[in-house]
Amino acid sequence: MSATLELAKELIARPSVTPDDEGCQLLLGARLKALGFSLESMRFDEVDNLWARRGDQGPLLVFAGHTDVVPTGPEANWQFPPFTPTKHEGQLYGRGAADMKSSIAAMVTACERFVQQYPQHAGSIGFLITSDEEGPSINGTVRVVETLEKREEKIDWCLVGEPSSTDKVGDVIKNGRRGSLGAILSVHGKQGHVAYPHLAKNPVHLFAPALQELVNSEWDQGNEHFPPTTFQISNIHAGTGANNVIPGELEVQFNFRFSTEVTDAQLRQQVETILDKHALDYDINWTLSGQPFLTPEGELVEAVQQAIEAVAGYPTRLSTAGGTSDGRFIAPTGAQVVELGPLNTTIHQIDEHTDIAELDTLSAIYEQILVNLLVSK
């Protein structure tokens, strides 16, 4: 069994449903300490975070990831128990196999081989590991980054192990992400009997024209790096459950995934202009989960592209598609950020799994990136 597979299995066996770490970071810390990393545990409220660093000079290359996983759903529906890592037909099954315990395992084993070969490498290597990526993300990476910023500890390059690949490991890397802006909208009406609509105000009916305009609006046209901004209703609720009562309130939850062509302030203003245009009585609470970011082609992107070509033998494609990641907290510090991990085909699904053979490929790619960036040519 490869060292990467063995470590991935040890991590998957720990039921670290967000925000619980279940000892994953202790396991990782022991491996990193043996390589000469200094360890710093940063616990904020109920969230465990690990900051580990080898070296005190720049440039600083950081591996970022999370040990927490999403809930399993009905365990009876899994082919194999979700926290019993299982090899089956060339795949490793278990919650976190793809998102993203295998990536963390590959990062650690890559460092073990690299440090053994280059104990006097240039610069520094860091690990930023949290147990709050799948949750609200308020006491994880963002708090660690704030701490590092206060003491002027700057990250130059960051590799996030999120599952970026589509068909084979490394065929797609993420060099940016769209922003995420959510809202909870409450439209106020007046409850009444359905037989006497003139004595009530139905907020569903009142909101319908505004909804149509919101759905049909063009927010921007995107650009060469980002697709156009999208608007999606995620939840909508009204009524008492009885079919003879006109509801008095309507609650709508929606989300924007937005490009760099528009700001969150512009989106808020445009939405509220539409709501006001339709004379709605409403309250709206906005939540900005992250700004869009982009790492242009440069040292990190080139090092990753060259490593994938050298190890896997094929080119990679740059993408900014998909959801948010903790890269959104690191990029604003000025760091170059790239996401590279296994296939995202089964993430958050029943029977989550990853290709066993590709674990060592991913680890070898990470090792080559270390060589490309921290070994003098």
Side-chain angles (χ1 to χ4, degrees):
M1 188 184 301
S2 78
T4 305
L5 175 58
E6 181 68 30
L7 180 53
K9 290 179 65 177
E10 288 186 70
L11 292 170
I12 293 168
R14 289 163 166 77
S16 53
V17 176
T18 190
D20 295 328
D21 173 71
E22 291 295 326
C24 291
Q25 292 176 25
L26 289 175
L27 172 62
L28 297 171
R31 298 281 285 259
L32 295 174
K33 186 175 182 179
L35 297 177
F37 281 78
S38 59
L39 308 181
E40 188 174 353
S41 178
M42 298 187 189
R43 183 173 174 87
F44 301 106
D45 291 337
E46 59 183 353
V47 174
D48 289 305
N49 303 286
L50 172 65
W51 171 246
R53 178 165 178 164
R54 186 180 197 274
D56 55 11
Q57 302 295 316
L60 171 58
L61 169 61
V62 169
F63 290 99
H66 61 90
T67 53
D68 60 322
V69 297
V70 295
T72 64
E75 293 194 20
N77 293 345
W78 284 67
Q79 185 176 0
F80 309 104
F83 296 113
T84 302
T86 304
K87 296 188 296 180
H88 177 68
E89 296 182 349
Q91 303 293 316
L92 175 63
Y93 283 80
R95 177 57 88 218
D99 189 12
M100 56 166 285
K101 291 182 174 181
S102 293
S103 298
I104 295 176
M107 291 170 171
V108 171
T109 57
C111 281
E112 288 174 336
R113 296 190 306 275
F114 176 78
V115 169
Q116 183 177 19
Q117 187 172 1
Y118 301 102
Q120 303 301 321
H121 60 81
S124 301
I125 308 171
F127 274 77
L128 198 172
I129 307 296
T130 184
S131 64
D132 186 37
E133 198 275 344
E134 299 291 9
S137 298
I138 59 175
N139 288 307
T141 299
V142 63
R143 296 288 299 275
V144 177
V145 169
E146 288 173 357
T147 302
L148 297 179
E149 285 284 282
K150 286 179 181 177
R151 62 195 193 198
E152 298 184 352
E153 195 167 356
K154 290 292 186 181
I155 298 172
D156 297 284
W157 306 305
C158 182
L159 275 172
V160 184
E162 289 292 344
S164 64
S165 306
T166 300
D167 297 313
K168 50 189 177 182
V169 67
D171 62 348
V172 176
I173 61 174
K174 303 293 176 68
N175 66 321
R177 290 283 193 167
R178 294 174 294 174
S180 177
L181 176 65
I184 300 176
L185 169 67
S186 298
V187 180
H188 310 301
K190 183 179 180 182
Q191 184 175 306
H193 197 294
V194 296
Y196 301 93
H198 60 288
L199 300 177
K201 292 173 63 177
N202 192 322
V204 179
H205 295 185
L206 295 171
F207 179 62
L211 174 59
Q212 183 176 18
E213 186 169 348
L214 289 167
V215 169
N216 292 330
S217 291
E218 182 183 86
W219 310 96
D220 62 45
Q221 295 182 340
N223 54 39
E224 62 176 320
H225 302 291
F226 291 91
T229 293
T230 60
F231 167 88
Q232 287 293 315
I233 299 287
S234 53
N235 287 283
I236 190 164
H237 175 75
T240 64
N243 70 356
N244 62 349
V245 178
I246 294 172
E249 298 284 331
L250 169 68
E251 183 178 282
V252 182
Q253 297 182 35
F254 59 85
N255 182 270
F256 285 101
R257 294 301 164 100
F258 63 101
S259 77
T260 51
E261 291 295 305
V262 67
T263 67
D264 64 287
Q266 289 172 323
L267 292 172
R268 297 176 200 226
Q269 182 180 33
Q270 192 169 344
V271 168
E272 292 176 13
T273 297
I274 291 172
L275 298 176
D276 292 340
K277 171 185 172 182
H278 292 276
L280 297 174
D281 180 11
Y282 69 92
D283 294 307
I284 189 166
N285 292 312
W286 295 95
T287 302
L288 178 65
S289 299
Q291 296 283 5
F293 70 89
L294 179 71
T295 295
E297 295 188 42
E299 293 170 321
L300 180 59
V301 170
E302 290 171 6
V304 174
Q305 289 174 321
Q306 291 169 5
I308 293 169
E309 183 78 45
V311 173
Y314 46 77
T316 190
R317 179 170 61 85
L318 300 178
S319 171
T320 60
T324 59
S325 79
D326 276 1
R328 69 189 189 273
F329 303 126
I330 301 167
T333 68
Q336 297 177 39
V337 179
V338 167
E339 298 174 27
L340 166 61
L343 271 63
N344 54 31
T345 314
T346 63
I347 59 174
H348 292 205
Q349 295 183 14
I350 299 291
D351 287 336
E352 179 182 349
H353 59 272
T354 194
D355 189 289
I356 291 173
E358 291 193 335
L359 296 181
D360 286 329
T361 302
L362 181 60
S363 182
I365 292 171
Y366 288 148
E367 181 184 5
Q368 188 59 49
I369 294 169
L370 284 161
V371 172
N372 291 349
L373 291 171
L374 298 182
V375 176
S376 299
K377 301 297 187 290

